[in-house]
């Protein structure tokens, strides 16, 4: 599933600018728009429950995973969060907790 949306700069967190002008020099587009599926996944997985006030149960809080040994709980939590947002989770590898590998489309 492709999700089109405004892209965020991964280094700064700012909106990515991509100024396009028409023949008269007027701004036609100001922000970079493309498939933002991975960006949505990253935001969802790093967010803490309660950060999105309209959806208080949204967020997997993966920053908390580093000191936890219950990887089956994290595997389930990641799957539940991604599937609730419409992603199909193919596989999750949490062997290296500092670099988890998640395949979701």
């Amino acid at each position: 599933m492709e999700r089109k949306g405004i892209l965020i700069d991964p280094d700064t967190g700012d909106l990515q600018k991509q100024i396009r002008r028409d023949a008269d020099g007027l701004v036609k587009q100001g922000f970079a728009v493309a498939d933002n599926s991975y960006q949505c996944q990253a935001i969802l997985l790093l967010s803490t429950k309660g950060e999105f006030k309209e959806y208080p149960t949204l967020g997997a809080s993966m920053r908390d995973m580093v000191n936890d040994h219950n990887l089956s709980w994290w595997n389930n939590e990641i799957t539940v969060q991604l599937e609730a947002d419409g992603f199909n989770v193919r596989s999750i590898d949490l062997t290296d907790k500092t670099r988890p590998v998640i395949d979701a489309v």
Side-chain angles (χ1 to χ4, degrees):
M1 167 172 77
E2 182 174 314
R3 296 171 180 237
K4 261 191 150 30
I6 298 173
L7 299 179
I8 297 173
D9 185 308
D11 298 324
T12 65
D14 295 332
L15 298 176
Q16 288 186 13
K17 294 178 224 155
Q18 188 176 45
I19 308 297
R20 291 188 182 151
R21 299 181 183 273
D22 63 13
D24 297 324
L26 299 174
V27 174
K28 184 176 175 183
Q29 179 180 341
F31 297 111
V33 176
D35 179 15
N36 65 354
S37 296
Y38 293 118
Q39 174 179 288
C40 289
Q41 290 176 18
I43 291 169
L44 177 66
L45 295 174
L46 294 174
S47 297
T48 304
K49 289 180 182 3
E51 283 188 60
F52 297 98
K53 302 308 177 199
E54 286 187 44
Y55 307 100
T57 60
L58 184 69
S61 308
M62 281 188 64
R63 288 184 182 98
D64 297 337
M65 181 179 69
V66 175
N67 294 322
D68 197 343
H69 299 291
N70 190 354
L71 296 183
S72 62
W73 185 89
W74 285 103
N75 192 327
N76 183 59
E77 179 68 6
I78 292 165
T79 301
V80 166
Q81 291 293 327
L82 289 173
E83 287 180 350
D85 200 30
F87 290 100
N88 177 26
V89 179
R90 294 179 183 168
S91 66
I92 299 175
D93 180 4
L94 303 176
T95 307
D96 181 356
K97 290 191 275 186
T98 60
R99 291 193 173 272
V101 178
I102 301 166
D103 182 13
V105 290

